[in-house]
Amino acid sequence: MYTLLKHELKRRRLAALLTLLAIAALYAYTFRLLGRLTEPVAALGLPALALIFPLILWALWLHWQSLREEWQEGTTHFLFSFPLRGWQVLLAKGGAVAIYFLIFTLFSAVLGGAALVKGFTAAGSPLSREDLRQLIFSDGSKLYVQYLLVAFSLIAYSQLAFILGQISSRWQGMLSAVSFVAIFYLVGKLLALLEPVINLLPEVSFSFGTGSFNPWYMVAAFCFSLLAAGLAGWLLDHKVDF
Amino acid sequence: MEYALTAVNLSKRYGKKQALENLNLQIPQGKIVALLGPNGSGKSTFLKLFAGLIHPSSGKALVLGEEAGTATKSKVAYVPEFNHLYRWQTAGEAVEFASSFFPDLDLEIAGKLLEQMQLEREQKIASLSKGMQARLKLVLALARNAPVLLLDEPLSGIDPQSRRKILGAIVESYKPDEQTIVLSTHQVLESEFAFDQVIFLQEGKVALKGDADELRKEHNCSIEDLFAKIYQ
């Protein structure tokens, strides 16, 4: 499985390099912009939020592409002729996307941190070491963990939706898209059903400046993602024809 | 006796199309078996079922007594008709990639076969001609010590020179009594010298099967002529 992970990382390295360059270019622009700003709040919001959502979408798109390409290029007959279980293939593919996602997130976090320091200094109220530590390891890291979980859920749901489409011999694309929406609807419904149980659980502080969030919802959504990934693997082994 | 491949009431349906219908047959070990029939007769479906790439609609596909699936993939070397390799890999990378999943793939034999097939390790698969891609696919299968080789139209759409190389390599690499080769082809005349057994498929059913020499004697003609008679 490690070989497959390496293979997936290699396959996506050009796209990853281009993404890193795009992030660097965006931050170079942000740095120039920060030189002209006087409001520390604007300096705080700009770099952190500019890249996270596009990164999640990028991770989702990359994973979707990675699976879809196997079918499109006819390489499923090579990949699935290996004595591997469906979950192993999906884990290697999802793992490669997660690794790239992590690299980009760390890269943008480092540049974002530098942008914050520069922004606050430009506004005449430089960040103390304690402020910076608080931002990076408390609020900031929680934010990144939350986005990482969102990315993981999206990857798991998207792979399940894609595989559900492949079970049919017709209208695969449309079925995948409908399945993707249906999975989100189902997860939403299940979370609503679980609300009384979740409210009984002990509270955990998960504030990051702008509001608070009950992390047990995230834990439940993460469990659903694991279930989705497991189901996708089982379907690959037992129901999908290549 | 354990058979290399066994079909038990094996059927496969794609939507409304019945590709294989209630097939019952056994392929003994240590033989080169030709799977013959016109397009759409079910040859590729048959091979994919035993390669564990598709699932039966009903019945069973057994490889060395075990139901075809993930567990039997290490015992089967499958070569599809089209290019199934990653176009961005080089020939050498494809060999190494496959060897990490199949411990029975002998890298030394693969190297010799690459040379024999006049393929360069550094060549990108995307830049290879159809004939060269077909030869590379075969290198990946023949370099393995798999007890079952499933070759789907390995000679299709290939120039005569490449066809000769491919046939030569199949016959040379074949280990009688250890390996079973099931080969589907339309190039019957060129390849029939290698057949031990022949299965004629028609509309997903067995039209005729038997020992190649006995069929020649019984019908007093070559397998190529018999093919023409059955499907005329």
Side-chain angles (χ1 to χ4, degrees):
Chain A
M1 208 175 69
Y2 174 64
T3 312
L4 201 54
L5 178 69
K6 264 198 334 193
H7 164 84
E8 288 297 327
L9 287 171
K10 193 175 172 187
R11 182 182 189 167
R12 293 284 157 210
R13 66 186 169 184
L14 183 64
L17 191 68
L18 289 174
T19 311
L20 278 176
L21 285 173
I23 293 171
L26 195 65
Y27 271 103
Y29 173 73
T30 309
F31 270 82
R32 274 192 63 194
L33 203 65
L34 282 171
R36 295 184 219 143
L37 290 173
T38 50
E39 285 290 319
V41 175
L44 179 75
L46 258 173
L49 296 177
L51 288 168
I52 288 295
F53 280 116
L55 276 184
I56 289 177
L57 291 176
W58 179 88
L60 175 67
W61 176 83
L62 200 65
H63 194 272
W64 189 282
Q65 283 293 106
S66 164
L67 263 180
R68 197 171 62 91
E69 273 174 13
E70 302 281 358
W71 266 264
Q72 241 176 7
E73 293 170 10
T75 48
T76 48
H77 284 65
F78 190 39
L79 181 63
F80 290 96
S81 71
F82 301 145
L84 290 170
R85 295 253 169 222
W87 68 265
Q88 290 175 303
V89 173
L90 293 176
L91 194 66
K93 283 184 175 292
V97 176
I99 286 171
Y100 277 133
F101 180 78
L102 213 62
I103 290 171
F104 299 144
T105 309
L106 284 174
F107 186 58
S108 64
V110 168
L111 291 179
L116 279 175
V117 172
K118 187 177 163 62
F120 275 92
T121 310
S125 52
L127 284 172
S128 67
R129 198 169 278 186
E130 181 53 30
D131 289 339
L132 201 60
R133 196 194 65 77
Q134 185 73 17
L135 269 169
I136 294 170
F137 295 107
S138 179
D139 295 346
S141 59
K142 281 176 187 168
L143 183 73
Y144 283 121
V145 166
Q146 194 174 340
Y147 281 125
L148 202 63
L149 287 176
V150 171
F152 176 76
S153 303
L154 283 173
I155 287 171
Y157 300 152
S158 75
Q159 67 189 16
L160 176 61
F162 179 80
I163 289 162
L164 282 169
Q166 294 308 311
I167 292 173
S168 161
S169 54
R170 295 171 72 194
W171 310 106
Q172 285 128 328
M174 203 177 72
L175 275 171
S176 291
V178 170
S179 304
F180 192 59
V181 175
I183 290 166
F184 270 92
Y185 176 77
L186 266 175
V187 169
K189 279 276 171 205
L190 280 169
L191 283 174
L193 276 173
L194 286 173
E195 198 177 345
V197 182
I198 286 172
N199 287 338
L200 287 176
L201 295 169
E203 269 187 39
V204 180
S205 161
F206 204 74
S207 67
F208 45 90
T210 52
S212 61
F213 186 83
N214 185 343
W216 293 111
Y217 281 104
M218 197 53 86
V219 172
F222 180 70
C223 291
F224 293 146
S225 310
L226 282 180
L227 276 176
L231 179 60
W234 184 86
L235 287 171
L236 266 183
D237 286 339
H238 296 96
K239 297 288 168 198
V240 178
D241 283 345
F242 302 105
Chain B
M1 176 188 177
E2 191 178 54
Y3 291 98
L5 305 178
T6 310
V8 185
N9 302 323
L10 187 62
S11 296
K12 180 65 187 175
R13 177 179 274 280
Y14 299 108
K16 286 179 185 170
K17 167 120 177 75
Q18 187 78 46
L20 284 181
E21 201 178 337
N22 209 26
L23 218 62
N24 282 293
L25 61 88
Q26 285 121 351
I27 293 178
Q29 292 182 48
K31 303 275 180 199
I32 297 183
V33 181
L35 198 59
L36 306 178
N39 291 333
S41 56
K43 303 186 297 293
S44 296
T45 301
F46 180 91
L47 295 176
K48 282 204 268 184
L49 277 164
F50 285 97
L53 289 169
I54 59 174
H55 307 279
S57 302
S58 62
K60 280 180 184 172
L62 307 176
V63 177
L64 298 164
E66 204 177 340
E67 209 156 333
T70 310
T72 59
K73 284 178 184 175
S74 54
K75 297 171 188 166
V76 173
Y78 168 72
V79 178
E81 184 182 357
F82 55 87
N83 176 40
H84 67 322
L85 306 173
Y86 293 101
R87 296 171 63 80
W88 53 270
Q89 282 186 327
T90 64
E93 282 170 346
V95 171
E96 275 159 35
F97 184 56
S99 76
S100 11
F101 299 102
F102 296 119
D104 62 358
L105 195 151
D106 190 323
L107 287 172
E108 206 182 304
I109 293 178
K112 279 181 193 160
L113 281 166
L114 282 173
E115 251 177 60
Q116 192 187 331
M117 298 281 199
Q118 290 168 322
L119 293 165
E120 304 271 341
R121 279 182 168 276
E122 291 76 26
Q123 273 181 299
K124 280 248 186 250
I125 291 171
S127 71
L128 299 178
S129 68
K130 199 179 172 189
M132 289 161 104
Q133 284 177 357
R135 282 184 257 155
L136 178 59
K137 287 188 291 180
L138 207 71
V139 168
L140 292 173
L142 297 179
R144 287 186 55 198
N145 272 314
V148 178
L149 267 76
L150 305 175
L151 313 178
D152 194 1
E153 304 275 2
L155 310 172
S156 160
I158 291 164
D159 61 275
Q161 197 192 351
S162 289
R163 287 209 297 266
R164 271 195 296 277
K165 275 189 189 136
I166 287 174
L167 270 173
I170 294 172
V171 173
E172 270 178 47
S173 308
Y174 172 60
K175 301 170 191 84
D177 302 328
E178 275 179 45
Q179 278 185 321
T180 305
I181 298 181
V182 183
L183 165 101
S184 80
T185 185
H186 288 126
Q187 270 73 31
V188 184
L189 186 64
E190 277 171 88
S191 48
E192 73 163 276
F193 73 93
F195 304 160
D196 293 319
Q197 292 203 347
V198 185
I199 299 167
F200 291 95
L201 285 181
Q202 195 164 26
E203 291 170 2
K205 293 176 191 162
V206 175
L208 182 70
K209 63 173 175 160
D211 182 89
D213 287 335
E214 281 173 20
L215 284 174
R216 285 187 196 102
K217 246 187 240 166
E218 198 179 315
H219 296 270
N220 199 23
C221 63
S222 66
I223 300 295
E224 160 89 353
D225 294 337
L226 196 54
F227 182 94
K229 272 185 203 170
I230 292 172
Y231 303 112
Q232 67 187 347

